[in-house]
Amino acid sequence: MSSVKKIQVWFQIHKWTSLICTAFLLMLCLTGLPLIFHEEIEELEGKPHLAREVPAGTPVAGLDKLAETAQKKYPDKVIRFVYWDEHEPNTTTFSLSDSIDAPPDNYVNLILDDHTAEVLDQPKVQEGFMYIMLQMHIDMFMGIGGKLFLGLMGLLFIAAIVSGIMLYGPIMKRFDFGMIRTERSTRLKWLDLHNLLGVVTIVWGVVVGFTGVINTTSDLILGLWQMGQLAEMTAPYKDAAPLTGKLSSLDQALALTKKAAPGMEPSIITYPGTAFTSKHHYAVFVKGNTPLTKRIIKPALIDAKNGTLTDLRDMPWYVNALFVSEPLHFGDYGGLPLKIIWALFDIATIVILGSGLYLWFARNKATRAHINRLSKNDTEILTVLAQKENA
């Protein structure tokens, strides 16, 4: 295949992959921008800090007491999850639902004081601007179908980046890097800017696009983990009788896990019957202390009848890839400086997408004008020939 033919093929790939995914990528960039700064936005909105300063060594109420308080607040609901927010020390959050197998969006959260067992807040997390931005960015309010569709758009975005690189290389053999021809037409200026920003954001675009694709497969990854490692860990309880009576102590489950995984901190506890454990176990997920290891969690299974530790394992590589990719997607590893860099690249990508649409429309308009001119010339020639023939 000749070099000219190769360029034509890459041009067609770049054009159609870009056109198909541009509208959805614009939506993702626009919704992703406030999500990068979600913590800072919540601060500006006046979100209260629930943490209370207490002297070192102040005794805590214990998880069993906290669970009792949460259950009294909503006696007709069941506790499904217990988790901790690193931005709200000295607090524990309980998530309660109408039933253990209720839909994921059926829940109410209660934030309790670790020391007094007092209910501090009942946040409404399924409403407001940031909730809408998050859901649009994750699945467009369409569930797993929306996630997988956005994952496909992410793959097209990566294909558009690769094809753009293949097109930009031959161009730069004839021009200086970063060239913007300001003395020529508006379309050429936008073309040069589009190409320059595209090259500058290559690495960021591939990282964000690839991690975004991984994030859209979270439901599939959860299913693989359930059918694989989780099924293996809970196999001895496959034919066990259903749990009856009062469950074993949460405090005991947490203490056993901390002893088995020293140096790690609790992240979330899931109750028996939820998607992250079996019908017979608490699953206590613990995490590390460094910026990287705190993104990687491992599950400990605690028999919810007798309170014994039955298994503790590292997660499979594909689950860890999901845990690492989610914060990287939003630049949530290096504090505010990295968030600002992520936001600048996000804005540059918005300019790239917008200029790409402009160039496509401008090219089509110029092509139609050229065709019209040719058609007009052809008509004039045919008219002259007809007049000569009649004469």
Side-chain angles (χ1 to χ4, degrees):
M1 185 183 294
S2 66
S3 59
V4 174
K5 186 66 175 177
K6 289 180 180 178
I7 291 176
Q8 291 175 342
V9 171
W10 282 117
F11 175 77
Q12 291 298 321
I13 294 174
H14 186 70
K15 180 178 75 172
W16 289 111
T17 54
S18 300
L19 284 175
I20 293 171
C21 70
T22 290
F24 297 99
L25 285 175
L26 275 172
M27 181 273 294
L28 290 173
C29 287
L30 291 171
T31 56
L33 197 55
L35 291 175
I36 294 173
F37 299 103
H38 71 96
E39 294 171 358
E40 290 75 13
I41 291 174
E42 290 173 351
E43 289 284 344
L44 291 175
E45 290 177 342
K47 178 184 177 182
H49 282 286
L50 303 175
R52 300 180 179 183
E53 295 291 337
V54 295
T58 301
V60 296
L63 289 180
D64 293 327
K65 177 63 177 179
L66 298 180
E68 182 182 344
T69 302
Q71 199 67 76
K72 286 182 179 178
K73 180 73 174 178
Y74 287 100
D76 296 330
K77 296 182 180 294
V78 297
I79 299 172
R80 289 203 292 191
F81 307 109
V82 183
Y83 61 92
W84 292 265
D85 184 349
E86 62 180 11
H87 301 292
E88 293 292 351
N90 300 323
T91 67
T92 301
T93 301
F94 285 77
S95 180
L96 300 94
S97 304
D98 291 337
S99 64
I100 203 69
D101 56 355
D105 59 352
N106 179 294
Y107 67 90
V108 59
N109 286 343
L110 290 177
I111 302 178
L112 281 71
D113 187 301
D114 284 345
H115 300 91
T116 66
E118 174 189 358
V119 176
L120 300 176
D121 194 16
Q122 185 175 323
K124 297 179 180 180
V125 296
Q126 298 187 70
E127 60 182 45
F129 173 74
M130 294 305 297
Y131 171 72
I132 294 173
M133 292 297 99
L134 179 61
Q135 291 305 122
M136 285 296 297
H137 195 85
I138 291 176
D139 60 14
M140 302 184 296
F141 292 93
M142 295 171 59
I144 187 173
K147 283 186 180 181
L148 296 178
F149 177 79
L150 291 178
L152 175 60
M153 295 301 103
L155 291 175
L156 292 178
F157 177 51
I158 295 173
I161 292 175
V162 173
S163 57
I165 295 172
M166 302 305 295
L167 291 172
Y168 193 64
I171 293 175
M172 284 300 97
K173 291 179 181 179
R174 296 184 289 118
F175 301 103
D176 295 330
F177 177 78
M179 163 206 67
I180 297 180
R181 290 166 284 184
T182 57
E183 73 284 355
R184 304 289 294 277
S185 66
T186 301
R187 190 172 74 85
L188 273 177
K189 285 188 288 187
W190 276 107
L191 175 62
D192 291 340
L193 181 62
H194 177 86
N195 291 336
L196 176 60
L197 290 177
V199 170
V200 170
T201 60
I202 282 175
V203 175
W204 181 87
V206 171
V207 169
V208 171
F210 186 66
T211 54
V213 170
I214 293 176
N215 290 338
T216 62
T217 63
S218 59
D219 292 308
L220 300 180
I221 290 175
L222 171 61
L224 287 174
W225 178 70
Q226 289 172 323
M227 293 185 294
Q229 186 183 72
L230 182 60
E232 183 180 334
M233 293 172 73
T234 60
Y237 290 77
K238 183 178 180 180
D239 299 321
L243 285 175
T244 58
K246 186 178 180 180
L247 300 180
S248 61
S249 166
L250 281 174
D251 290 312
Q252 181 180 350
L254 185 58
L256 283 173
T257 304
K258 286 183 175 181
K259 183 178 180 180
M264 304 192 77
E265 301 176 351
S267 175
I268 184 172
I269 298 176
T270 67
Y271 268 60
T274 59
F276 304 95
T277 184
S278 75
K279 294 181 178 180
H280 301 85
H281 293 87
Y282 291 118
V284 183
F285 292 86
V286 290
K287 61 182 181 180
N289 298 300
T290 68
L292 178 60
T293 59
K294 72 178 182 179
R295 309 293 181 181
I296 300 175
I297 63 177
K298 61 169 58 177
L301 295 187
I302 308 295
D303 189 311
K305 183 176 182 180
N306 57 36
T308 58
L309 174 67
T310 64
D311 209 335
L312 172 66
R313 303 189 187 185
D314 291 324
M315 283 287 202
W317 67 267
Y318 54 86
V319 179
N320 288 332
L322 175 64
F323 291 152
V324 172
S325 69
E326 183 174 350
L328 184 59
H329 184 72
F330 291 105
D332 195 18
Y333 272 112
L336 186 58
L338 184 60
K339 289 183 179 182
I340 293 174
I341 294 173
W342 243 237
L344 292 174
F345 277 119
D346 189 292
I347 293 170
T349 304
I350 292 173
V351 175
I352 293 170
L353 296 170
S355 60
L357 285 176
Y358 163 75
L359 291 169
W360 184 74
F361 284 114
R363 182 184 178 89
N364 278 0
K365 183 179 179 181
T367 302
R368 286 195 299 269
H370 181 64
I371 292 173
N372 289 336
R373 284 196 300 271
L374 291 177
S375 299
K376 184 178 180 181
N377 292 337
D378 291 343
T379 301
E380 291 174 350
I381 292 171
L382 290 173
T383 301
V384 172
L385 291 173
Q387 289 174 347
K388 286 183 177 181
E389 186 175 331
N390 293 334

